[in-house]
Amino acid sequence: MKHTIAFLFLLFSLLSFSQNDSIISYGQNLIYENKLDDAISFYNSHLTEPKSPEQKVKLLIGLADIYKLKLDFKKTNHYLIEAYTDIEELGNKQLKFLYHVKMIEFYRKRGLFKEAIEHQKNAESILKKNIINEFDLSSYYNRRASLFSQHFGNLDSVIVYANKSLKLAEKVNHKDNIFYSKLELASVYERRGDIKGAIAYFEDLLNYANNNSLIQHQADVYINYTNALIKDDQLEKALQVSLEAIAFAKANHLLFNEIIVTINVYETYKKLGNTEKAYDYLLNRIILSEKYNKLEHDKFLFELEEKYKLTEKENEIKINTLEIENKNKALASNKIKLYVSISLFLAALIITVLIAYFLKKEKSTNKQLKILSEENEFLLSEANHRINNNLQLVVILISDQLKNTKGQERFELKNILTKVEAISTLHKHLYKNKDKSKVDVANYLNDVKVSFFEVFKENDIQTDFKIDSVDISSDHAMYFGLLLSELCINSIKHAFDKEDSKTINFRLTHKENRMYFNYSDTGSREKNKEVKPKLIDKICRQLKIEYQIETDNGFSFSFEKHITND
């Protein structure tokens, strides 16, 4: 009888564990399939009545993983702290080890390697004194491999820990660690110059992610795969895979991955010599980046506005309710003046206390809104700073390439350089401005002109630029900068022949909310010819303007556009 009871108890325990494990596994699969909102709802529904304290901790850690993918590090940290509080109460070394592994990744992803290493040491200390399950041990070795790769740069150690992680992950079918262990090994091949070996790994990972419905993983490996193909000069294949990657990112609403792969398409078209297509994707990348920043910004403001409106409405209802109650009390006690006086006094006292309470509450809410606004401003500033740094890196790379090129190729590189510098200059102005949505067009376009100084000097071209100082939106400023750059490049390349005097004239005037754009040169090569530059036409379509080109006496381009400073 005792043996039967023991057997039934063991069977019940195993079934309970299996049920708990299936809940966590199902939620993890939702994350793999990039169904993050569904995963949040699923975890929260089970968090109300968890089957055990251990399951509650894993549900909290699962929510932390989801918000980490959403780049919401504040909520990630909140759920990890809540999980750690429960872990401390349980005294469970296995869960404490898992918590430190998650914290390694939390800080590594944010570039805070000192804190990540501290948690790695804590996990290692637990490992020395306790037996850890192979599932979590695989994650630990994988995170160690990533630290050696990104922080220490020790490729031999990357191989050792990635292989340890892979061996355990394959044993327990830990899909996430199987994928990222192989990705670490592929990066070693690439960094050691074995591009074809890396490509083989990336192709295997692409198939693995596709077969196991690992959506975010597949989007990530597309980026590494296309970069490797470009490095290996497999440009046609790189272009084909990059376009597949863009379609995949669009289908799964992965805007950030779409932006990164769009850069690879731009690079590939540039190397293939298709300048027109390259610039199309460069413009598309700028539009996608603006969309990404706007979505994040609008989402943040919308949530704050809705939260504030709800609080304000609740306060209004409470005050109205109190006023009705006070009136009823006054009518009921109208027979006796003393009672009326007392009731009014009490009502006034209550209203005063309530007003004081709500004013204090509103002050606290405003303080929180201010803190959130400052955090958002910092994030936007940091994003602009990083974009500007990336643009400066592109300028440096192109400038280095210029030193090794001559003739027509050198001119084409200068063509690209001036356009990138036009965009980079805009970001510099935005970064300096308090109002990130506007820029002084005179300061900006004069800086664009400076970027052509050497080219004008080499070609003995004189310039006459007069630009009105007026603040306009950053979108219009960017297109004006690109338009001026392209016009100058076309004049340098096509306008002049053997003229004694080579001059470029530019006027940008502002009057009664209208901008008048007038550009001309004294070249004779395009005289009396029909000219319609393709890239200029595309930029003008983006600006939604009708333009005029005349070639009777040199080249002349002009348009006018309604612009307000609201």
Side-chain angles (χ1 to χ4, degrees):
M1 185 67 181
K2 290 181 180 179
H3 292 294
T4 304
I5 293 171
F7 175 77
L8 290 172
F9 178 77
L10 179 61
L11 181 62
F12 177 80
S13 300
L14 289 171
L15 287 171
S16 176
F17 176 80
S18 176
Q19 184 183 16
N20 292 349
D21 186 62
S22 67
I23 289 171
I24 302 301
S25 297
Y26 183 80
Q28 187 62 61
N29 285 333
L30 288 175
I31 297 173
Y32 288 157
E33 293 169 9
N34 200 43
K35 299 176 180 178
L36 301 184
D37 291 331
D38 291 343
I40 290 171
S41 298
F42 177 80
Y43 277 119
N44 280 324
S45 67
H46 287 282
L47 197 57
T48 56
E49 293 183 9
K51 302 296 182 182
S52 66
E54 290 79 6
Q55 189 189 70
K56 180 185 176 184
V57 169
K58 290 194 174 183
L59 289 168
L60 290 169
I61 288 174
L63 284 167
D65 285 341
I66 295 167
Y67 284 109
K68 183 183 67 181
L69 287 172
K70 285 176 166 280
L71 302 181
D72 188 342
F73 295 122
K74 187 175 181 180
K75 284 191 177 179
T76 303
N77 191 47
H78 165 77
Y79 284 111
L80 286 172
I81 289 172
E82 191 173 344
Y84 185 73
T85 302
D86 289 350
I87 291 168
E88 283 289 274
E89 290 180 4
L90 289 169
N92 188 315
K93 296 295 182 182
Q94 178 70 53
L95 290 176
K96 197 168 187 178
F97 178 85
L98 175 60
Y99 164 79
H100 286 301
V101 172
K102 294 295 181 181
M103 292 303 290
I104 294 170
E105 180 58 11
F106 175 63
Y107 284 116
R108 183 202 66 82
K109 192 173 182 67
R110 297 162 64 196
L112 302 172
F113 293 105
K114 182 180 178 181
E115 291 82 356
I117 292 167
E118 191 65 31
H119 283 281
Q120 180 265 313
K121 289 178 180 178
N122 290 335
E124 186 177 19
S125 177
I126 295 172
L127 180 61
K128 287 179 180 179
K129 300 176 183 178
N130 299 274
I131 297 173
I132 303 299
N133 70 55
E134 293 174 333
F135 195 90
D136 294 338
L137 192 57
S138 168
S139 297
Y140 169 73
Y141 287 138
N142 185 272
R143 295 306 85 211
R144 289 212 67 176
S146 66
L147 283 175
F148 277 112
S149 176
Q150 286 185 266
H151 183 59
F152 298 108
N154 188 331
L155 299 184
D156 290 333
S157 295
V158 174
I159 292 172
V160 170
Y161 284 103
N163 278 318
K164 279 187 175 184
S165 175
L166 182 59
K167 185 177 179 181
L168 291 171
E170 288 176 335
K171 185 176 179 181
V172 297
N173 194 30
H174 194 327
K175 296 177 183 179
D176 193 64
N177 285 342
I178 290 171
F179 179 90
Y180 282 112
S181 296
K182 288 186 176 181
L183 192 62
E184 293 292 352
L185 292 170
S187 71
V188 172
Y189 275 90
E190 187 173 9
R191 288 162 72 177
R192 286 183 170 175
D194 186 358
I195 305 300
K196 294 192 183 300
I199 288 172
Y201 259 107
F202 292 139
E203 289 173 345
D204 177 60
L205 285 169
L206 202 60
N207 290 328
Y208 182 83
N210 183 47
N211 292 335
N212 289 278
S213 300
L214 305 177
I215 302 301
Q216 183 65 59
H217 300 64
Q218 188 171 342
D220 290 343
V221 79
Y222 263 129
I223 295 170
N224 292 278
Y225 184 32
T226 52
N227 281 332
L229 289 172
I230 292 171
K231 287 182 181 178
D232 198 42
D233 284 329
Q234 297 186 43
L235 300 181
E236 294 293 343
K237 188 172 182 179
L239 182 60
Q240 177 190 343
V241 175
S242 295
L243 293 173
E244 290 175 6
I246 288 176
F248 182 83
K250 282 183 178 179
N252 291 283
H253 309 292
L254 298 170
L255 181 58
F256 183 77
N257 289 78
E258 185 182 351
I259 292 169
I260 301 300
V261 181
T262 299
I263 296 170
N264 289 348
V265 175
Y266 160 74
E267 291 291 343
T268 307
Y269 271 125
K270 187 174 71 172
K271 288 193 173 187
L272 288 169
N274 193 335
T275 307
E276 184 177 345
K277 279 284 188 181
Y279 285 145
D280 284 347
Y281 277 92
L282 178 61
L283 285 172
N284 191 39
R285 185 258 186 187
I286 294 167
I287 293 166
L288 288 172
S289 297
E290 291 293 330
K291 180 181 177 183
Y292 181 81
N293 292 333
K294 188 175 186 301
L295 282 173
E296 290 301 305
H297 183 64
D298 287 351
K299 179 183 175 184
F300 175 80
L301 292 179
F302 177 79
E303 289 175 353
L304 284 182
E305 186 179 358
E306 288 302 301
K307 184 176 180 181
Y308 180 80
K309 285 181 178 178
L310 181 61
T311 304
E312 190 177 38
K313 192 68 177 177
E314 288 174 350
N315 291 342
E316 185 180 340
I317 292 169
K318 287 178 182 178
I319 291 171
N320 288 338
T321 303
L322 287 170
E323 288 177 352
I324 292 169
E325 289 176 356
N326 289 333
K327 287 179 180 179
N328 289 336
K329 288 177 181 178
L331 289 172
S333 60
N334 196 36
K335 294 178 180 180
I336 305 172
K337 291 184 179 181
L338 179 61
Y339 288 163
V340 172
S341 301
I342 293 172
S343 298
L344 290 173
F345 174 76
L346 290 174
L349 182 62
I350 292 169
I351 291 173
T352 302
V353 172
L354 286 171
I355 290 173
Y357 170 77
F358 287 124
L359 284 174
K360 184 178 179 181
K361 190 173 182 180
E362 186 177 1
K363 185 178 179 181
S364 175
T365 302
N366 289 338
K367 186 177 180 181
Q368 291 178 358
L369 287 172
K370 183 179 179 182
I371 292 169
L372 290 171
S373 178
E374 289 173 353
E375 287 179 355
N376 186 52
E377 186 177 347
F378 168 77
L379 290 172
L380 288 174
S381 177
E382 184 67 15
N384 268 331
H385 179 66
R386 293 193 179 187
I387 291 169
N388 187 57
N389 286 347
N390 289 337
L391 287 168
Q392 287 301 312
L393 179 59
V394 174
V395 170
I396 290 168
L397 291 173
I398 297 173
S399 299
D400 288 343
Q401 189 65 30
L402 271 171
K403 297 175 183 177
N404 303 319
T405 56
K406 296 180 179 179
Q408 182 63 25
E409 186 179 355
R410 178 180 174 82
F411 183 82
E412 293 298 334
L413 280 174
K414 282 188 176 181
N415 182 343
I416 296 169
L417 180 60
T418 53
K419 292 175 184 176
V420 175
E421 284 180 335
I423 298 170
S424 177
T425 300
L426 176 61
H427 274 281
K428 287 178 185 176
H429 282 272
L430 288 174
Y431 187 68
K432 293 175 184 177
N433 286 358
K434 289 184 179 179
D435 185 353
K436 305 298 182 186
S437 64
K438 295 179 182 178
V439 67
D440 186 325
V441 71
N443 290 338
Y444 169 53
L445 293 183
N446 279 319
D447 280 354
V448 172
K449 173 191 172 185
V450 170
S451 67
F452 279 91
F453 178 78
E454 287 188 18
V455 184
F456 287 149
K457 187 176 179 181
E458 287 176 6
N459 292 274
D460 194 24
I461 296 172
Q462 303 298 317
T463 60
D464 183 10
F465 282 44
K466 291 183 180 178
I467 306 166
D468 285 354
S469 179
V470 60
D471 288 341
I472 64 172
S473 74
S474 57
D475 288 340
H476 286 134
M478 178 188 71
Y479 288 121
F480 281 13
L482 290 173
L483 195 55
L484 181 58
S485 297
E486 186 65 17
L487 287 166
C488 288
I489 289 163
N490 285 348
S491 291
I492 294 165
K493 189 174 181 180
H494 302 295
F496 302 110
D497 194 3
K498 296 181 181 179
E499 291 86 355
D500 294 332
S501 177
K502 303 175 183 179
T503 305
I504 291 176
N505 300 293
F506 177 61
R507 301 285 184 275
L508 186 67
T509 55
H510 177 258
K511 186 177 181 182
E512 295 180 353
N513 289 333
R514 296 196 74 81
M515 298 294 294
Y516 298 89
F517 188 108
N518 293 281
Y519 174 93
S520 64
D521 63 47
T522 59
S524 60
R525 290 175 65 182
E526 302 295 330
K527 194 171 183 179
N528 296 323
K529 293 182 180 179
E530 184 178 347
V531 178
K532 190 175 183 181
K534 292 182 180 179
L535 184 55
I536 289 173
D537 186 64
K538 288 181 180 179
I539 295 172
C540 289
R541 285 204 300 271
Q542 291 291 333
L543 282 169
K544 298 179 181 179
I545 53 102
E546 296 289 336
Y547 61 91
Q548 294 80 42
I549 292 179
E550 296 180 3
T551 58
D552 296 340
N553 186 19
F555 175 85
S556 173
F557 172 91
S558 62
F559 69 82
E560 61 181 80
K561 181 171 179 61
H562 179 78
I563 291 181
T564 64
N565 288 324
D566 295 338

